[in-house]
Amino acid sequence: MKFNTKTIHGGQEHDKAYGAVMPPIYQTSTYAQSTPGGHKGFEYSRTHNPTRSALEKSFASLENGNYGLAFASGLAAIDAVLKLLRPGDEVISTNDLYGGSYRLFSQIYANFGIKFHFIGMKNAENIETFVTKNTKLIWVETPTNPMLNIIDIKKAASIAKKHQILLGVDNTFATPYLQQPLELGADIVMHSATKYLGGHSDVIMGALVVKNKELADRLYFIQNSSGAVCGPQDSFLLLRGIKTLHVRMERHCVNGRAVAEYLENHPKVEKVYWPGFKHHTNHEVAKSQMKDFGGMISFTTKGNSYEKAKKIVENLKIFTLAESLGGVESLSGHPASMTHASIPKEEREKTGIVDSLIRLSVGIEDKDDLIEDLRQAIG
Ligand SMILES: *Cc1c(COP(=O)(O)O)cnc(C)c1O
């Protein structure tokens, strides 16, 4: 089955009771048993729920994996991965990780005796320098937020294989439409399904997909034991969102390219970060591991003024100033005052998050309106 068919049919079967075309919302916590242990595969909804199971099969199908798991949020999904580890284990991750993941690693799991190395991964060979006998997990995000840095997944996978370390990839920004990490050698793919997979800014959810049965069993055990599962209504919304993932992504890419090119030629714009540009670091890697370049763009304006950047995001009318990304509507963000405000200025600026940096999640509106909005806001 091709990807554009999988978004609609992948892992799905027609409802056995009435032939409903959409999976029914099984809003139930428990299931009747005819005799103790006599049930139809469902006992209690923390463990299994038919709507969630349909979604988990869809996740697995989209990423070319064998097993999918749905969680209450993206961070709950990452949390489940970290529970594979024990005190003394080490994790190698990127130095421009999503802020929430960084907080989970450095402020929760570091307290449980897990050691984290946050390193530059633009040159993926750098990862090997930090491998010790205790390294159990390499955690990669590509493209990264908000600098759109590209990490070579195949290279990271070969280092992971060589040292028998698990490689996990946060595929939130790319989506399986653009990039399929399991095909490139990763062991675990993770999504904040809140973003592009859901696509309509109306649900918080997380996903994991793996190929290996033993790894899947360990993760299902953690999912059931810790209990950070999503409900059937949210599962339904995700299933509904996924059905248009391919058409949405196609338009996000077209609009993203148009906006990136407009900004690149704007006299007041200093620098545009979008992996589709030849001058973007690791553009060749992006080209080889992604089908297109997506709708996430960051840019800075000349003079690097904090006030000016705030004015721009305030003046934008179609781009809504808000956290999050990946929905049908365009959003803007000012990392220095919003998502990355808690990081000291000097630290922030080392990774490129300067005062004038603005991040855009380019939606699927008419691209001419988006460009006009940027024109009037930048002035
Ligand atoms: C939003 C996000 C997360 C966290 O997901 P939630 O659904 O908000 O818990 C993790 N990684 C990336 C790249 C994200 O954008």
Side-chain angles (χ1 to χ4, degrees):
M1 209 185 269
K2 297 254 174 65
F3 187 82
N4 295 352
T5 309
K6 281 185 178 179
T7 57
I8 297 163
H9 299 289
Q12 303 307 299
E13 23 183 271
H14 285 299
D15 157 50
K16 289 196 185 76
Y18 300 106
V21 168
M22 277 304 284
I25 302 168
Y26 284 94
Q27 190 72 50
T28 187
S29 59
T30 189
Y31 307 81
Q33 306 194 6
S34 54
T35 176
H39 56 78
K40 298 178 177 170
F42 295 91
E43 294 162 275
Y44 187 63
S45 282
R46 174 168 26 76
T47 318
H48 294 111
N49 173 281
T51 320
R52 194 176 92 220
S53 297
L55 174 64
E56 292 180 327
K57 286 179 185 150
S58 170
F59 284 153
S61 164
L62 292 177
E63 286 286 4
N64 282 340
N66 297 321
Y67 307 94
L69 298 97
F71 293 87
S73 69
L75 283 175
I78 303 176
D79 181 75
V81 173
L82 289 172
K83 284 179 175 144
L84 295 166
L85 307 177
R86 288 163 188 275
D89 287 350
E90 294 184 22
V91 178
I92 304 172
S93 192
T94 65
N95 60 7
D96 60 346
L97 198 61
Y98 171 73
S101 310
Y102 179 75
R103 182 177 54 199
L104 178 66
F105 291 4
S106 60
Q107 295 191 47
I108 306 278
Y109 280 95
N111 295 338
F112 289 97
I114 293 166
K115 189 170 169 192
F116 295 89
H117 303 270
F118 298 101
I119 68 164
M121 288 190 178
K122 281 192 209 169
N123 174 5
E125 266 132 39
N126 199 15
I127 297 170
E128 197 156 24
T129 331
F130 290 85
V131 171
T132 74
K133 62 179 191 334
N134 297 324
T135 311
K136 295 289 156 56
L137 176 69
I138 299 170
W139 189 258
V140 164
E141 212 179 288
T142 180
T144 63
N145 173 37
M147 300 314 297
L148 286 310
N149 287 324
I150 301 294
I151 297 166
D152 189 327
I153 298 174
K154 257 192 196 157
K155 271 200 191 139
S158 77
I159 295 164
K161 291 255 149 24
K162 183 172 153 198
H163 298 280
Q164 296 181 309
I165 303 164
L166 286 175
L167 172 65
V169 176
D170 181 336
N171 204 27
T172 301
F173 267 41
T175 83
Y177 173 84
L178 294 177
Q179 170 175 286
Q180 299 183 326
L182 297 179
E183 296 296 290
L184 299 165
D187 300 291
I188 304 170
V189 178
M190 172 265 160
H191 282 278
S192 169
T194 311
K195 317 291 170 53
Y196 285 104
L197 294 187
H200 294 75
S201 308
D202 52 9
V203 61
I204 299 284
M205 190 177 296
L208 295 178
V209 180
V210 303
K211 282 195 168 177
N212 178 280
K213 166 127 183 27
E214 193 233 311
L215 181 57
D217 286 343
R218 289 171 68 201
L219 289 167
Y220 283 126
F221 181 80
I222 293 166
Q223 183 194 36
N224 185 43
S225 304
S226 290
V229 293
C230 53
Q233 295 268 359
D234 285 355
S235 301
F236 176 86
L237 283 173
L238 244 292
L239 279 160
R240 178 175 161 132
I242 286 171
K243 285 183 194 292
T244 54
L245 176 66
H246 53 305
V247 281
R248 286 187 283 111
M249 287 310 293
E250 221 175 278
R251 184 61 69 86
H252 281 298
C253 291
V254 169
N255 286 0
R257 177 180 296 274
V259 167
E261 283 169 359
Y262 169 76
L263 291 172
E264 182 76 355
N265 292 311
H266 196 293
K268 292 190 182 162
V269 170
E270 175 91 45
K271 204 162 179 343
V272 184
Y273 299 90
W274 178 66
F277 286 132
K278 280 210 178 66
H279 59 71
H280 192 87
T281 309
N282 285 347
H283 167 72
E284 288 304 319
V285 177
K287 225 166 103 178
S288 73
Q289 69 189 18
M290 295 169 77
K291 184 172 154 184
D292 203 335
F293 304 105
M296 296 304 300
I297 297 168
S298 291
F299 70 99
T300 58
T301 42
K302 288 181 184 157
N304 191 29
S305 152
Y306 188 89
E307 286 310 315
K308 180 89 205 303
K310 278 175 73 173
K311 268 274 164 312
I312 294 173
V313 292
E314 283 166 14
N315 288 344
L316 284 165
K317 293 191 169 71
I318 298 178
F319 284 87
T320 304
L321 178 61
E323 311 256 345
S324 200
L325 60 112
V328 291
E329 62 286 300
S330 293
L331 300 180
S332 69
H334 182 230
S337 66
M338 295 166 74
T339 47
H340 295 69
S342 59
I343 305 170
K345 188 171 152 86
E346 307 83 72
E347 283 302 307
R348 260 200 270 125
E349 299 208 331
K350 271 188 214 156
T351 57
I353 304 170
V354 297
D355 285 350
S356 75
L357 188 82
I358 291 171
R359 191 193 78 177
L360 301 176
S361 171
V362 180
I364 64 171
E365 301 95 336
D366 192 292
K367 65 180 187 311
D368 294 345
D369 288 332
L370 298 180
I371 287 170
E372 174 52 28
D373 196 26
L374 286 161
R375 195 196 58 71
Q376 65 78 23
I378 298 171

